[in-house]
Amino acid sequence: MTVSDELEYLKTLVKQLNDKIHTLEDKAKNAVAPPKTPAQQLRTILIGPPGAGKGTQAPRIRDEFCVCHLATGDMLREQVQQKTPLGVEAKKIMDAGGLVSDDIMVNIIKDQLENNKSCKNGFVLDGFPRTVPQAEKLDAMLTARKEKLDSVVELEIPDQLLISRITGRLIHPSSGRTYHREFHPPKKAMTDDVTGEPLIQRSDDNVETLTKRLKSFHTQTGPVVNYYKAKGLWHRVDATQAPAVVWDNLRSVFAAKSK
């Protein structure tokens, strides 16, 4: 084979390889899952006692349906830190030892719906409403915006199982990673698997405090559940199941509503 023949052969080989690369690239592009599209409408509330899994499921709802996750406790702290007019008003009340009014909380939610771009396709509300008057004020605000709730999902779990879950909970403060002494222990006792830093147990993660919190939750939330049952919005999900199963149940609720 002459030099020119060898050169021609190599050029042909390179062309074939390039064609093969382009073919494989096209296949790879087609194989990639299409980007998530927002739900036509998803305005939902998650109700559940501390430790029921709201903090696990709400971000999944947010990501899957392209909506915003409105955790009222986090929003209130953010308003206070940013010294917004609502935050300044709320801080005065909290510093005086009072409870932030329902109107302030509803206005904080309203502010998010109006100014948070990720809320344009809907929201998942976590931590509010806790009482019937709050639910009524939330309805009035949504009605004024010509919007309405699609569903209210209660994550149900027995108190004793919750207490077992939470009193064994360990937290890595800087990242928020959680472990459990029994169900999900760290590789090394009281040590974060990723950073090697110490884990802590929250001071309020004890039986006495949790029992009080659960009693308060049931007293306040029972009427709220009945309020939404009367409107035909309430759905029950068994939160004792594995998180993946709970997620499948939640998706079924939202899929049925969208139809």
Side-chain angles (χ1 to χ4, degrees), residues 53-256:
K54 299 189 301 297
T56 298
Q57 301 299 339
R60 293 193 69 172
I61 298 170
R62 175 197 65 201
D63 295 342
E64 180 76 11
F65 294 96
C66 303
V67 298
C68 61
H69 172 204
L70 301 181
T72 50
D74 293 341
M75 288 191 298
L76 179 58
R77 284 187 287 272
E78 184 179 346
Q79 294 273 348
V80 170
Q81 289 172 357
Q82 293 181 356
K83 298 181 179 178
T84 65
L86 285 171
V88 170
E89 188 178 353
K91 189 173 187 301
K92 287 180 183 176
I93 295 169
M94 291 188 292
D95 288 347
L99 293 174
V100 176
S101 72
D102 295 347
D103 286 331
I104 289 178
M105 293 308 303
V106 169
N107 281 329
I108 287 175
I109 295 169
K110 181 183 177 185
D111 177 71
Q112 287 291 308
L113 297 182
E114 291 176 350
N115 299 305
N116 185 340
K117 291 181 180 179
S118 64
C119 294
K120 67 179 181 179
N121 302 312
F123 59 81
V124 51
L125 192 53
D126 168 8
F128 191 93
R130 295 179 185 272
T131 65
V132 170
Q134 289 178 354
E136 291 171 341
K137 288 181 183 294
L138 177 65
D139 278 350
M141 184 269 286
L142 291 174
T143 298
R145 290 174 53 82
K146 297 181 180 179
E147 297 175 353
K148 62 180 182 179
L149 290 169
D150 303 306
S151 58
V152 176
V153 183
E154 182 179 10
L155 300 179
E156 284 193 339
I157 183 170
D159 287 358
Q160 286 305 313
L161 179 54
L162 267 180
I163 290 171
S164 174
R165 275 187 181 182
I166 296 178
T167 53
R169 185 166 60 180
L170 302 171
I171 299 172
H172 179 237
S174 60
S175 70
R177 271 187 293 278
T178 59
Y179 300 83
H180 192 279
R181 296 181 191 276
E182 181 180 352
F183 306 126
H184 176 45
K187 294 174 184 176
K188 182 180 178 182
M190 295 302 293
T191 304
D192 179 48
D193 289 349
V194 178
T195 64
E197 294 171 346
L199 301 176
I200 64 165
Q201 182 170 27
R202 280 176 39 173
S203 59
D204 57 349
D205 282 357
N206 60 74
V207 174
E208 183 180 358
T209 301
L210 281 170
T211 301
K212 290 179 181 177
R213 288 171 68 191
L214 289 170
K215 182 178 179 181
S216 175
F217 170 80
H218 293 308
T219 301
Q220 289 183 337
T221 309
V224 175
V225 167
N226 291 333
Y227 175 83
Y228 286 121
K229 280 182 178 178
K231 289 178 172 287
L233 293 171
W234 177 83
H235 300 266
R236 173 192 176 275
V237 169
D238 181 359
T240 65
Q241 305 171 103
V245 179
V246 173
W247 170 242
D248 287 342
N249 292 166
L250 285 169
R251 290 195 65 182
S252 296
V253 170
F254 304 143

